[in-house]
Structure formats: C-alpha cells, structure tokens
C-alpha cells in the first residue's frame, strides 16, 4: 500500500463574528471551505497559508497564531490530509485580484449562516476549526519551526 498524506494549510479569518470563506468548485458543485491549499516546495507553512488566502479570496492577511493541526481522511477518496490551521487578521482586500481556477468567490459568513449550508461544506473540518477558534484555542506562531 502506498500511503502518502497531503500537507495542507488553512486560515481562519474572523471579523465581527463573520468568517472569511471560499466558494469553490469540487466535482461539479460549489462547496464552502476556509481559504486552504497545499504546501508548495520551498515555502514555510505560514507563507503557504498567507499565499493561499490571497489566491483564493483576494485578501492580504497577516498570520497571528496557530489554531491547530488536524488529521482528516476524506471519505470520498480515502486521501489523508494533515491540515495546519492558522489564525489570521485581514489587512487589505484586492478586489481586482485574479482568483485561482475553480474558485467562485469569497464571502463572509457567521457560524449560524454556515450551519444552514451544511450540505455545501467541503468537509467537517470547516466547523471543527471555527468551533476551536470560538473556544479560544490559540498557539503562537513559534509553534511552527522552520527547516534548518
């Protein structure tokens, strides 16, 4: 068996009880997710989170902390993802930014609004990360150690 987990990053960006979410196409339907994506070669996890947020939402953000590290196996394909979820502060919106292929757009939603759209979640990690954030989980960025 050839098992290769995927390293991904995600970002929780909150503003007055609303969370920055991404609408993206997945298997021909629009789903909701936090700004998230894969780690690219030669970048840090923090750099990847900031980059993915910009590429998927048009928002420049500053990472302020780490929410947690999550292990998730997608029931649709059996792929295992290790997600490092960051907390970030929105700095500036770039409305003319060309979003990644497959991204429909970004929207700000409350937890309650997200709950009414459960059938459109990309995964259960969405609400788990938001609930961890709302519960006050926070770790410093120094938790992420760069390579030597």
């Amino acid at each position: 068996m050839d098992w290769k987990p995927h390293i991904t990053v995600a970002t929780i960006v909150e503003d007055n009880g609303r969370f920055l979410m991404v609408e993206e196409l997945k298997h021909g339907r629009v789903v909701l997710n936090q700004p998230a994506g894969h780690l690219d070669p030669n970048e840090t996890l923090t750099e990847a989170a900031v980059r993915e947020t910009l590429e998927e939402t048009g928002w420049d953000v500053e990472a302020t902390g780490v929410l947690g590290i999550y292990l998730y196996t997608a029931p649709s394909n059996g792929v295992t993802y290790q997600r490092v979820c960051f907390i970030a502060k929105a700095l500036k919106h770039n409305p003319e930014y060309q979003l990644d292929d497959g991204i429909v757009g970004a929207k700000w939603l409350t937890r309650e609004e997200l709950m009414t759209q459960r059938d459109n979640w990309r995964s259960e990690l969405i609400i788990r990360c938001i609930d961890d954030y709302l519960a006050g989980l926070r770790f410093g960025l120094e938790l992420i150690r760069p390579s030597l």
Side-chain angles (χ1 to χ4, degrees):
M1 180 175 154
D2 190 26
W3 182 72
K4 294 181 182 175
H6 295 248
I7 298 172
T8 62
V9 294
T11 308
I12 293 285
V13 184
E14 185 260 342
D15 181 43
N16 293 312
R18 297 177 312 139
F19 295 90
L20 182 59
M21 303 299 294
V22 174
E23 291 181 305
E24 59 188 350
L25 288 172
K26 183 75 174 171
H27 303 301
R29 64 187 273 264
V30 176
V31 296
L32 288 166
N33 198 10
Q34 275 101 16
H38 289 83
L39 178 68
D40 283 348
N42 302 314
E43 73 180 342
T44 68
L45 291 164
T46 308
E47 290 168 345
V50 169
R51 174 186 53 76
E52 286 288 350
T53 303
L54 176 62
E55 291 177 353
E56 294 190 350
T57 69
W59 278 90
D60 288 315
V61 298
E62 174 188 357
T64 60
V66 178
L67 181 66
I69 300 170
Y70 302 82
L71 199 60
Y72 175 76
T73 300
S76 61
N77 60 13
V79 173
T80 299
Y81 298 91
Q82 181 181 23
R83 175 192 260 205
V84 180
C85 190
F86 288 84
I87 300 164
K89 175 175 66 173
L91 300 176
K92 177 186 172 206
H93 187 234
N94 304 287
E96 303 304 316
Y97 191 87
Q98 180 65 45
L99 303 179
D100 276 354
D101 287 342
I103 302 297
V104 175
K107 58 186 351 182
W108 292 88
L109 298 170
T110 65
R111 184 188 188 283
E112 293 73 28
E113 290 168 331
L114 277 167
M115 291 304 293
T116 67
Q117 299 182 50
R118 186 176 210 130
D119 290 342
N120 297 329
W121 295 352
R122 178 149 183 189
S123 79
E124 292 291 322
L125 283 177
I126 290 171
I127 205 67
R128 184 163 180 209
C129 290
I130 287 174
D131 285 347
D132 285 351
Y133 174 84
L134 292 171
L137 290 181
R138 308 281 189 280
F139 299 93
L141 289 173
E142 65 273 6
L143 178 70
I144 306 297
R145 308 299 294 165
S147 62
L148 297 176

